[in-house]
Amino acid sequence: MEKTAFVTGGGRGIGRAVVRRLAAEGCAVGINYLQSREAAEELAREIRQQGGRALAVRADVADRAAITAAIRQAEEALGPVEVLVNNAGIAQNDLFQDTPEALWRRMFAVHADGAFHTIQAVLPHMLHVKRGAIVNISSIWGLRGASCEVAYASSKAAVIGLTRSLAMELAPSRIRVNCVAPGVIRTDMVECLGEETISSLAEQTPAGRLGTPEDVARAVAFLAGEGADFITGQVLTVDGGFIL
Ligand code: NAP
């Protein structure tokens, strides 16, 4: 049976790979973007050309009214969302004592509040049909902590707390909530670190390479799919052994 999925920040990076993977597995996909309009619309066209169904919708996940309206727009075109992937994210790199309050708040607004808004938007239908899978993208830094990324790591830890608690609350309703914690994955978020740092991070990875968006997308699709029917509240690390 075709399901409708909704992926936040789906226009590029890890989100785009997740969108492609879910579409390849037969999902109709709502592709949320904030700034990457062309990329998101191009991706939706690509999926439609391959016989799938997809719609790109703009919203800031931190804006409750906007992201709720975007989800409704996708649902009107594609059907009620039964797979939700909270992927939208932003990075930081500064000392804790220099972190502006606005940046701290933005980190939590995008990562924690964003997930809160999207989940509340899709939950009434999932509760009604007693079916649904939610996959939140955290980070290995949300598990382990990270110097010079205290706001990022703290907000990603909040996503893990949300995942575990909500999984307990929703398990009796047969709605699963899981989390993927990527390690260092080659996307725009990491490219800005420069070649030297990227090579050193690859050397520190037991698997001997950095991750790809597709590595993460396969884990997300697994947790979203029927193969993970009895799995909930878990944090699946996809990092080539980086934090072992
Ligand atoms: P990326 O290439 O920088 O892409 C970030 C994505 O998030 C873009 O699609 C962007 O959309 C979207 N986004 C950002 N703020 C948004 C907002 N307020 N509302 C809606 N969309 C928003 O990053 P990435 O590497 O693919 O990261 C994806 C997720 O994986 C993030 O949650 C990130 O924290 C997590 N992660 C990444 C790594 C890594 O090494 N790359 C490691 C651990 C965890 P627009 O372009 O449309 O604005």
Side-chain angles (χ1 to χ4, degrees), residues 37-62:
R37 178 186 195 132
E38 252 178 56
E41 286 184 347
E42 176 57 36
L43 182 59
R45 262 196 304 278
E46 173 193 307
I47 291 167
R48 287 196 293 266
Q49 275 161 9
Q50 290 165 358
R53 296 197 302 136
L55 182 74
V57 287
R58 183 182 182 279
D60 179 346
V61 294

mmCIF file of all heavy atoms in Angstrom, residues 37-62:
data_model
loop_
_atom_site.group_PDB
_atom_site.id
_atom_site.type_symbol
_atom_site.label_atom_id
_atom_site.label_comp_id
_atom_site.label_asym_id
_atom_site.label_seq_id
_atom_site.Cartn_x
_atom_site.Cartn_y
_atom_site.Cartn_z
ATOM 1 N N ARG A 37 14.211 26.416 -2.833
ATOM 2 C CA ARG A 37 12.986 26.190 -3.608
ATOM 3 C C ARG A 37 13.258 25.419 -4.912
ATOM 4 O O ARG A 37 12.596 24.420 -5.205
ATOM 5 C CB ARG A 37 12.350 27.539 -3.935
ATOM 6 C CG ARG A 37 11.119 27.398 -4.768
ATOM 7 C CD ARG A 37 10.555 28.729 -5.219
ATOM 8 N NE ARG A 37 9.220 28.508 -5.702
ATOM 9 C CZ ARG A 37 8.170 29.228 -5.371
ATOM 10 N NH1 ARG A 37 8.290 30.227 -4.555
ATOM 11 N NH2 ARG A 37 6.988 28.941 -5.868
ATOM 12 N N GLU A 38 14.255 25.895 -5.669
ATOM 13 C CA GLU A 38 14.518 25.266 -6.968
ATOM 14 C C GLU A 38 14.882 23.800 -6.805
ATOM 15 O O GLU A 38 14.393 22.937 -7.531
ATOM 16 C CB GLU A 38 15.659 25.989 -7.673
ATOM 17 C CG GLU A 38 15.175 26.805 -8.847
ATOM 18 C CD GLU A 38 16.295 27.553 -9.514
ATOM 19 O OE1 GLU A 38 17.268 26.899 -9.925
ATOM 20 O OE2 GLU A 38 16.186 28.780 -9.604
ATOM 21 N N ALA A 39 15.769 23.536 -5.840
ATOM 22 C CA ALA A 39 16.224 22.153 -5.620
ATOM 23 C C ALA A 39 15.048 21.264 -5.227
ATOM 24 O O ALA A 39 14.909 20.130 -5.712
ATOM 25 C CB ALA A 39 17.299 22.120 -4.543
ATOM 26 N N ALA A 40 14.172 21.775 -4.355
ATOM 27 C CA ALA A 40 13.039 20.966 -3.881
ATOM 28 C C ALA A 40 12.048 20.712 -5.020
ATOM 29 O O ALA A 40 11.535 19.595 -5.178
ATOM 30 C CB ALA A 40 12.348 21.672 -2.715
ATOM 31 N N GLU A 41 11.806 21.751 -5.829
ATOM 32 C CA GLU A 41 10.844 21.565 -6.925
ATOM 33 C C GLU A 41 11.413 20.641 -7.998
ATOM 34 O O GLU A 41 10.696 19.829 -8.578
ATOM 35 C CB GLU A 41 10.421 22.925 -7.488
ATOM 36 C CG GLU A 41 9.481 23.587 -6.486
ATOM 37 C CD GLU A 41 8.890 24.906 -6.934
ATOM 38 O OE1 GLU A 41 9.385 25.467 -7.929
ATOM 39 O OE2 GLU A 41 7.949 25.367 -6.255
ATOM 40 N N GLU A 42 12.716 20.751 -8.229
ATOM 41 C CA GLU A 42 13.385 19.874 -9.195
ATOM 42 C C GLU A 42 13.292 18.402 -8.733
ATOM 43 O O GLU A 42 13.031 17.492 -9.519
ATOM 44 C CB GLU A 42 14.857 20.319 -9.338
ATOM 45 C CG GLU A 42 15.751 19.465 -10.227
ATOM 46 C CD GLU A 42 15.224 19.319 -11.647
ATOM 47 O OE1 GLU A 42 14.652 20.292 -12.162
ATOM 48 O OE2 GLU A 42 15.366 18.216 -12.219
ATOM 49 N N LEU A 43 13.488 18.203 -7.434
ATOM 50 C CA LEU A 43 13.404 16.848 -6.871
ATOM 51 C C LEU A 43 11.980 16.291 -7.009
ATOM 52 O O LEU A 43 11.794 15.119 -7.382
ATOM 53 C CB LEU A 43 13.818 16.905 -5.396
ATOM 54 C CG LEU A 43 13.844 15.597 -4.614
ATOM 55 C CD1 LEU A 43 14.803 14.585 -5.243
ATOM 56 C CD2 LEU A 43 14.266 15.867 -3.159
ATOM 57 N N ALA A 44 10.981 17.131 -6.747
ATOM 58 C CA ALA A 44 9.580 16.698 -6.890
ATOM 59 C C ALA A 44 9.301 16.324 -8.350
ATOM 60 O O ALA A 44 8.657 15.309 -8.632
ATOM 61 C CB ALA A 44 8.635 17.797 -6.419
ATOM 62 N N ARG A 45 9.836 17.138 -9.275
ATOM 63 C CA ARG A 45 9.647 16.836 -10.715
ATOM 64 C C ARG A 45 10.294 15.508 -11.076
ATOM 65 O O ARG A 45 9.718 14.683 -11.770
ATOM 66 C CB ARG A 45 10.287 17.948 -11.571
ATOM 67 C CG ARG A 45 9.288 18.998 -12.051
ATOM 68 C CD ARG A 45 9.852 19.843 -13.180
ATOM 69 N NE ARG A 45 11.103 20.489 -12.846
ATOM 70 C CZ ARG A 45 11.211 21.633 -12.150
ATOM 71 N NH1 ARG A 45 10.134 22.243 -11.712
ATOM 72 N NH2 ARG A 45 12.394 22.153 -11.885
ATOM 73 N N GLU A 46 11.520 15.307 -10.572
ATOM 74 C CA GLU A 46 12.266 14.060 -10.843
ATOM 75 C C GLU A 46 11.426 12.846 -10.408
ATOM 76 O O GLU A 46 11.304 11.863 -11.149
ATOM 77 C CB GLU A 46 13.592 14.112 -10.062
ATOM 78 C CG GLU A 46 14.419 12.843 -10.085
ATOM 79 C CD GLU A 46 15.541 12.904 -9.040
ATOM 80 O OE1 GLU A 46 16.330 13.880 -9.030
ATOM 81 O OE2 GLU A 46 15.631 11.966 -8.212
ATOM 82 N N ILE A 47 10.825 12.940 -9.224
ATOM 83 C CA ILE A 47 10.031 11.812 -8.708
ATOM 84 C C ILE A 47 8.780 11.594 -9.566
ATOM 85 O O ILE A 47 8.436 10.461 -9.916
ATOM 86 C CB ILE A 47 9.661 12.054 -7.221
ATOM 87 C CG1 ILE A 47 10.927 11.955 -6.371
ATOM 88 C CG2 ILE A 47 8.606 11.053 -6.742
ATOM 89 C CD1 ILE A 47 10.774 12.467 -4.960
ATOM 90 N N ARG A 48 8.137 12.699 -9.941
ATOM 91 C CA ARG A 48 6.925 12.572 -10.781
ATOM 92 C C ARG A 48 7.270 11.967 -12.138
ATOM 93 O O ARG A 48 6.538 11.134 -12.656
ATOM 94 C CB ARG A 48 6.246 13.939 -10.939
ATOM 95 C CG ARG A 48 5.541 14.385 -9.656
ATOM 96 C CD ARG A 48 4.574 15.518 -9.914
ATOM 97 N NE ARG A 48 5.259 16.733 -10.303
ATOM 98 C CZ ARG A 48 5.615 17.711 -9.461
ATOM 99 N NH1 ARG A 48 5.340 17.604 -8.178
ATOM 100 N NH2 ARG A 48 6.224 18.794 -9.889
ATOM 101 N N GLN A 49 8.444 12.381 -12.690
ATOM 102 C CA GLN A 49 8.846 11.839 -13.994
ATOM 103 C C GLN A 49 9.089 10.328 -13.913
ATOM 104 O O GLN A 49 8.971 9.618 -14.894
ATOM 105 C CB GLN A 49 10.119 12.532 -14.496
ATOM 106 C CG GLN A 49 9.808 13.841 -15.227
ATOM 107 C CD GLN A 49 11.011 14.769 -15.320
ATOM 108 O OE1 GLN A 49 12.126 14.379 -14.981
ATOM 109 N NE2 GLN A 49 10.779 15.981 -15.778
ATOM 110 N N GLN A 50 9.458 9.857 -12.709
ATOM 111 C CA GLN A 50 9.687 8.419 -12.550
ATOM 112 C C GLN A 50 8.399 7.683 -12.171
ATOM 113 O O GLN A 50 8.434 6.520 -11.764
ATOM 114 C CB GLN A 50 10.770 8.189 -11.493
ATOM 115 C CG GLN A 50 12.150 8.626 -11.965
ATOM 116 C CD GLN A 50 13.159 8.756 -10.836
ATOM 117 O OE1 GLN A 50 12.845 8.553 -9.664
ATOM 118 N NE2 GLN A 50 14.394 9.089 -11.191
ATOM 119 N N GLY A 51 7.281 8.391 -12.238
ATOM 120 C CA GLY A 51 5.994 7.734 -11.981
ATOM 121 C C GLY A 51 5.532 7.840 -10.548
ATOM 122 O O GLY A 51 4.493 7.287 -10.177
ATOM 123 N N GLY A 52 6.295 8.538 -9.699
ATOM 124 C CA GLY A 52 5.911 8.677 -8.298
ATOM 125 C C GLY A 52 5.078 9.930 -8.080
ATOM 126 O O GLY A 52 4.723 10.640 -9.023
ATOM 127 N N ARG A 53 4.774 10.195 -6.801
ATOM 128 C CA ARG A 53 3.998 11.396 -6.461
ATOM 129 C C ARG A 53 4.779 12.202 -5.434
ATOM 130 O O ARG A 53 5.313 11.639 -4.460
ATOM 131 C CB ARG A 53 2.634 11.016 -5.902
ATOM 132 C CG ARG A 53 1.781 10.280 -6.961
ATOM 133 C CD ARG A 53 0.305 10.258 -6.594
ATOM 134 N NE ARG A 53 0.103 9.632 -5.299
ATOM 135 C CZ ARG A 53 -0.709 10.107 -4.353
ATOM 136 N NH1 ARG A 53 -1.376 11.228 -4.545
ATOM 137 N NH2 ARG A 53 -0.844 9.475 -3.213
ATOM 138 N N ALA A 54 4.901 13.492 -5.673
ATOM 139 C CA ALA A 54 5.672 14.345 -4.755
ATOM 140 C C ALA A 54 5.221 15.785 -4.906
ATOM 141 O O ALA A 54 4.785 16.194 -5.977
ATOM 142 C CB ALA A 54 7.158 14.236 -5.058
ATOM 143 N N LEU A 55 5.349 16.528 -3.807
ATOM 144 C CA LEU A 55 5.014 17.957 -3.846
ATOM 145 C C LEU A 55 6.002 18.697 -2.947
ATOM 146 O O LEU A 55 6.261 18.275 -1.815
ATOM 147 C CB LEU A 55 3.587 18.177 -3.319
ATOM 148 C CG LEU A 55 3.113 19.616 -3.355
ATOM 149 C CD1 LEU A 55 2.783 20.036 -4.800
ATOM 150 C CD2 LEU A 55 1.871 19.805 -2.472
ATOM 151 N N ALA A 56 6.565 19.783 -3.474
ATOM 152 C CA ALA A 56 7.475 20.604 -2.672
ATOM 153 C C ALA A 56 6.665 21.704 -1.991
ATOM 154 O O ALA A 56 5.856 22.375 -2.632
ATOM 155 C CB ALA A 56 8.545 21.218 -3.570
ATOM 156 N N VAL A 57 6.872 21.883 -0.688
ATOM 157 C CA VAL A 57 6.129 22.911 0.063
ATOM 158 C C VAL A 57 7.087 23.702 0.946
ATOM 159 O O VAL A 57 7.917 23.137 1.656
ATOM 160 C CB VAL A 57 5.003 22.293 0.931
ATOM 161 C CG1 VAL A 57 3.834 21.835 0.064
ATOM 162 C CG2 VAL A 57 5.490 21.151 1.805
ATOM 163 N N ARG A 58 6.941 25.021 0.906
ATOM 164 C CA ARG A 58 7.853 25.874 1.660
ATOM 165 C C ARG A 58 7.326 26.137 3.064
ATOM 166 O O ARG A 58 6.138 26.401 3.244
ATOM 167 C CB ARG A 58 8.028 27.217 0.938
ATOM 168 C CG ARG A 58 9.021 28.103 1.632
ATOM 169 C CD ARG A 58 9.188 29.473 0.990
ATOM 170 N NE ARG A 58 10.201 30.196 1.742
ATOM 171 C CZ ARG A 58 9.960 30.838 2.881
ATOM 172 N NH1 ARG A 58 8.749 30.870 3.381
ATOM 173 N NH2 ARG A 58 10.955 31.440 3.532
ATOM 174 N N ALA A 59 8.213 26.052 4.055
ATOM 175 C CA ALA A 59 7.880 26.499 5.415
ATOM 176 C C ALA A 59 9.126 26.452 6.279
ATOM 177 O O ALA A 59 10.008 25.617 6.072
ATOM 178 C CB ALA A 59 6.810 25.604 6.055
ATOM 179 N N ASP A 60 9.165 27.347 7.246
ATOM 180 C CA ASP A 60 10.176 27.292 8.299
ATOM 181 C C ASP A 60 9.606 26.369 9.381
ATOM 182 O O ASP A 60 8.528 26.655 9.921
ATOM 183 C CB ASP A 60 10.384 28.718 8.842
ATOM 184 C CG ASP A 60 11.398 28.777 9.971
ATOM 185 O OD1 ASP A 60 11.752 27.726 10.534
ATOM 186 O OD2 ASP A 60 11.823 29.900 10.297
ATOM 187 N N VAL A 61 10.309 25.287 9.680
ATOM 188 C CA VAL A 61 9.762 24.339 10.669
ATOM 189 C C VAL A 61 9.579 24.973 12.045
ATOM 190 O O VAL A 61 8.804 24.486 12.862
ATOM 191 C CB VAL A 61 10.622 23.053 10.812
ATOM 192 C CG1 VAL A 61 10.599 22.227 9.546
ATOM 193 C CG2 VAL A 61 12.035 23.364 11.273
ATOM 194 N N ALA A 62 10.291 26.066 12.293
ATOM 195 C CA ALA A 62 10.179 26.742 13.586
ATOM 196 C C ALA A 62 8.896 27.564 13.690
ATOM 197 O O ALA A 62 8.516 27.989 14.779
ATOM 198 C CB ALA A 62 11.392 27.653 13.803
#
